[in-house]
Amino acid sequence: MQRELGMLTAKVDMILEGVRRSEEKADINRASMHRRMDEIVDRVSKVETTTATVKEDIDEIKPTVDDVKMWRQRGLGGLAVIGLGSSALTFFLTKFGAQLLSWATAK
C-alpha cells in the first residue's frame, strides 16, 4: 500500500509539474500578447496623430487650391474670348482687308 501511495504521489507530482509548466508558458504567451497589443496601440495612436496633422494641412491648403482652380477657369474663359476676338478680326481682315487697304491709301 505504501508503494501504491508513493506511485500516486509521484503521479500527482508529475501532473502538478505539468500544470505548473503549462501555466508558465501561458504567462509568457499572455505577456507577449500584451506587449504586441501595446505596440499596436502605439502604432494606431501615431497613425491618428499623423492623420490629424494631414487633415489640418489639407484644410489649410484647400482655399489656395480653390483659388487656383478659379484662376484657371477665368484664364480659360479669357483665352476663349481672345480666340473669338482673334477669329472675328481675322475674318474681317480677310473679308474686307483689301477694301480697307484701298480706302486707307486712297485718301
Side-chain angles (χ1 to χ4, degrees), residues 6 13 19 25-27 50-52 54 65-66 70-72 90 95 101-102 105:
D13 287 342
V19 168
K25 287 180 183 178
D27 289 342
T50 304
T51 303
V54 168
V65 171
D66 291 341
M70 182 180 61
W71 295 340
R72 181 176 172 218
T90 303
K95 183 76 173 169
L101 189 60
S102 66
T105 55

Side-chain angles (χ1 to χ4, degrees), residues 3-90:
R3 194 177 103 188
E4 291 174 354
L5 281 176
M7 288 174 46
L8 283 175
T9 303
K11 286 183 181 181
V12 167
D13 287 342
M14 285 177 25
I15 290 172
L16 289 175
E17 181 64 24
V19 168
R20 187 187 59 77
R21 276 189 253 141
S22 177
E23 286 177 359
E24 286 176 357
K25 287 180 183 178
D27 289 342
I28 292 170
N29 286 336
R30 277 192 296 276
S32 173
M33 185 172 22
H34 285 290
R35 183 178 31 74
R36 285 184 288 183
M37 287 177 66
D38 290 341
E39 290 172 0
I40 289 172
V41 167
D42 289 341
R43 290 174 66 187
V44 168
S45 67
K46 287 177 185 176
V47 168
E48 287 175 344
T49 303
T50 304
T51 303
T53 304
V54 168
K55 185 176 181 336
E56 289 173 3
D57 290 346
I58 288 173
D59 290 343
E60 192 174 306
I61 293 170
K62 187 160 178 32
T64 305
V65 171
D66 291 341
D67 287 344
V68 170
K69 284 181 181 179
M70 182 180 61
W71 295 340
R72 181 176 172 218
Q73 289 173 348
R74 287 182 181 174
L76 290 175
L79 287 175
V81 168
I82 290 171
L84 287 173
S86 300
S87 295
L89 180 63
T90 303

